[in-house]
Amino acid sequence: MRDQIIRNIQSIVPSTPLHLISQGAEALIFISDHHPYLPSDLKGLDLDNATKYIIKYRPPKPYRHPKLDRQITATRTSSEAKLLHKLFQLGVKAPKLVAMDAPNGLIWMEFLGYKLPNGNFSSLKNWLWILEEQSTKENLIALDDNVKDCCTSIGRLIGILHLNGIVHGDLTSSNIVLTDEETHKPSLIDFGLSSYSGMPEDKAVDLYVLERALNSTHPVYAQKYTEWVLQGYHDVHQEDGKKGFKKYTQTMERFKEVRMRGRKRTSNGD
Amino acid sequence: MAYNILQLSQFPQYKVFVSLYKGVTNHADIRDSIKSGSLPDDFDFAFLNAANLLSMEQLYSALFRCFVDKRNGKMKANTIHTELISDLSPVKNIMEALTRFGIPAEGEKSDLIILKVIESTTSPEKAQLDQVYDTVSKVVQNNGVAGVCLTDAALESTVDLQSIRKNYKLGDMFTEDRERLNRLIIGTIQLRGL
């Protein structure tokens, strides 16, 4: 199955070396050192990394009617690409859109992140795991100021997203990436489940999913991490003025309810 | 005489002849001849107003979009050259794209980028390319300067940021920061009409 999918993509993108890095239910993620359209002597003007690109591929679903499948794939692909571009316009750190082939389910985007000292990719999860492992009672580096700053920046990012009526849909510590070795500036990635929504419910679920993810991946320190994220989330709403703060209050009220009942609403229409 | 050939690694079957003519004086005549169809049949080119081109990346991005749409059977225009011009434009309307991104209607002088997409599995011969260049040179007048290679350096002298602001309908989003402006344009090209 997977080999077939890889043959598929290689036939659409010939003469481009592709390296599979992850496979989800809907898409496969590849890395390539080839820009989709620039010759090797030209570089993208404003990309963090001009040597690697991410290719997100939504393969055809064999159980769907081919025509319908192509349409669904094109719609999902272009709406994710549009969202990436929207985030760039808003000034939210996220991978920049480089190219797209919607009917074939392909998006090329900027590669963000770097290698951590242990060789792993700089997702928030991997970074925190290193710090947690190195923490001792005397020296709690997992709760250092730079972790705090990083967490509040993440909260701010989510806040800006929400203030603009966008929910991420899959916030986990693997979908947050550190983009700079020195400043640890975070970026959100994987907007495949994102949508437009101004509803406190959807925003609260976004926060709840992240809280749950932090709890399960970083059980010892999750409480602090979440607290800092929510601090950043609070701050960015407050800076937005009265309106922003009202949105914050509504979302937080709903957040408490979601915490009590879980992500899914009950079927009796609550 | 000078021109260059652009190629995209994903589409090896296309070689794109391109040359930049600065200070063209007869653009209005060329425009009229194209409209009235009085040019010879083999005179098939894309004419771009160089004022709207910020970077080679922008042009490559539009070529990519054009070739992808052609492969997917999603071309909106009848010819690949018209398709390419409309791929630079933020709007769907082809006539509007030609007005804004093709040969300018006003002004005494203009800087024109002249492109020809050549479909060929083998590398085109130099003689063939020279002939393409000759065909262009016979029609386009710019006080004998003739064409130069199209590069990012050459574009610096022809780009007009205010023209980009207007034609890409950037409004408040406009910025003089070229890196940011470039990405705004590339996103627009990749997402047009979707």
Side-chain angles (χ1 to χ4, degrees), chain B residues 90-157:
Chain B
V91 294
K92 275 188 187 175
N93 186 310
I94 293 175
M95 279 319 290
E96 192 181 336
L98 291 174
T99 313
R100 289 171 182 272
F101 291 85
I103 304 174
E106 288 157 18
E108 283 182 13
K109 279 187 178 178
S110 71
D111 300 323
L112 295 181
I113 294 162
I114 294 157
L115 266 131
K116 188 179 185 72
V117 177
I118 301 167
E119 202 170 345
S120 150
T121 46
T122 56
S123 264
E125 307 257 334
K126 189 170 182 301
Q128 186 195 343
L129 295 169
D130 284 351
Q131 205 186 335
V132 170
Y133 180 78
D134 282 343
T135 313
V136 178
S137 295
K138 272 180 205 146
V139 174
V140 183
Q141 291 163 13
N142 63 346
N143 290 322
V145 181
V148 294
C149 286
L150 189 70
T151 59
D152 277 313
L155 286 174
E156 271 179 38
S157 64

Side-chain angles (χ1 to χ4, degrees), chain A residues 92 124 147-163 166 171 176 184-188 203 206-207 210 214 224-239 248 251-252:
Chain A
V92 178
L124 177 68
V147 178
K148 184 179 178 184
D149 291 346
C150 183
C151 288
T152 48
S153 309
I154 292 162
R156 296 185 77 92
L157 275 178
I158 302 168
I160 298 171
L161 229 59
H162 287 182
L163 279 168
I166 299 165
L171 284 172
I176 299 167
H184 307 107
K185 184 178 180 183
S187 166
L188 306 179
K203 297 177 187 172
D206 232 11
L207 294 174
L210 179 60
L214 289 174
K224 270 286 167 205
Y225 299 156
T226 308
E227 185 190 315
W228 291 333
V229 169
L230 291 176
Q231 184 62 48
Y233 189 79
H234 164 271
D235 293 350
V236 83
H237 279 82
Q238 193 162 48
E239 287 159 24
Y248 172 79
T251 305
M252 291 323 277

Side-chain angles (χ1 to χ4, degrees), chain B:
Chain B
M1 81 173 162
Y3 57 83
N4 43 330
I5 303 296
L6 313 181
Q7 284 196 66
L8 281 68
S9 65
Q10 275 187 51
F11 297 94
Q13 68 272 40
Y14 299 115
K15 331 281 170 195
V16 183
F17 168 97
V18 57
S19 187
L20 170 65
Y21 282 71
K22 290 200 220 178
V24 175
T25 50
N26 65 334
H27 53 273
D29 295 342
I30 301 173
R31 203 181 145 95
D32 291 342
S33 327
I34 292 175
K35 268 190 174 164
S36 64
S38 65
L39 287 161
D41 283 351
D42 65 337
F43 195 85
D44 184 13
F45 295 91
F47 288 83
L48 302 176
N49 181 355
N52 296 316
L53 213 61
L54 180 70
S55 67
M56 292 302 285
E57 195 180 353
Q58 179 187 353
L59 180 59
Y60 274 107
S61 182
L63 283 165
F64 178 82
R65 173 80 204 254
C66 180
F67 296 156
V68 163
D69 284 345
K70 181 158 168 42
R71 179 180 64 197
N72 293 337
K74 297 267 180 198
M75 269 191 16
K76 295 283 189 301
N78 290 328
T79 70
I80 199 150
H81 290 139
T82 311
E83 184 74 14
L84 175 64
I85 298 170
S86 60
D87 276 334
L88 280 166
S89 157
V91 294
K92 275 188 187 175
N93 186 310
I94 293 175
M95 279 319 290
E96 192 181 336
L98 291 174
T99 313
R100 289 171 182 272
F101 291 85
I103 304 174
E106 288 157 18
E108 283 182 13
K109 279 187 178 178
S110 71
D111 300 323
L112 295 181
I113 294 162
I114 294 157
L115 266 131
K116 188 179 185 72
V117 177
I118 301 167
E119 202 170 345
S120 150
T121 46
T122 56
S123 264
E125 307 257 334
K126 189 170 182 301
Q128 186 195 343
L129 295 169
D130 284 351
Q131 205 186 335
V132 170
Y133 180 78
D134 282 343
T135 313
V136 178
S137 295
K138 272 180 205 146
V139 174
V140 183
Q141 291 163 13
N142 63 346
N143 290 322
V145 181
V148 294
C149 286
L150 189 70
T151 59
D152 277 313
L155 286 174
E156 271 179 38
S157 64
T158 52
V159 66
D160 175 357
L161 294 184
Q162 287 314 315
S163 175
I164 285 184
R165 173 192 204 136
K166 192 175 105 220
N167 289 322
Y168 278 96
K169 302 183 190 290
L170 288 169
D172 291 346
M173 237 159 358
F174 177 79
T175 163
E176 302 233 333
D177 174 348
R178 285 182 178 227
E179 294 189 357
R180 186 171 164 78
L181 188 59
N182 187 54
R183 187 61 45 191
L184 284 170
I185 294 172
I186 285 170
T188 305
I189 291 173
Q190 294 299 315
L191 298 170
R192 179 186 70 102
L194 293 166

Side-chain angles (χ1 to χ4, degrees), chain A residues 116 123-131 146-147 150 178 184:
Chain A
L116 294 165
S123 66
L124 177 68
K125 179 179 85 176
N126 290 340
W127 183 56
L128 291 176
W129 276 358
I130 293 181
L131 299 180
N146 56 4
V147 178
C150 183
L178 310 184
H184 307 107

Side-chain angles (χ1 to χ4, degrees), chain A residues 55-82:
Chain A
I55 300 169
K56 182 162 183 173
Y57 176 49
R58 288 176 165 82
K61 301 274 188 208
Y63 52 82
R64 283 200 293 241
H65 185 282
K67 250 190 165 167
L68 179 66
D69 180 56
R70 229 169 140 75
Q71 239 171 48
I72 294 175
T73 302
T75 312
R76 293 194 180 156
T77 305
S78 67
S79 65
E80 185 177 351
K82 275 186 223 165

Side-chain angles (χ1 to χ4, degrees), chain A residues 200-230:
Chain A
E201 165 73 21
D202 295 331
K203 297 177 187 172
V205 168
D206 232 11
L207 294 174
Y208 177 70
V209 168
L210 179 60
E211 185 183 48
R212 285 290 294 265
L214 289 174
N215 277 334
S216 56
T217 344
H218 312 276
V220 182
Y221 306 99
Q223 212 186 338
K224 270 286 167 205
Y225 299 156
T226 308
E227 185 190 315
W228 291 333
V229 169
L230 291 176

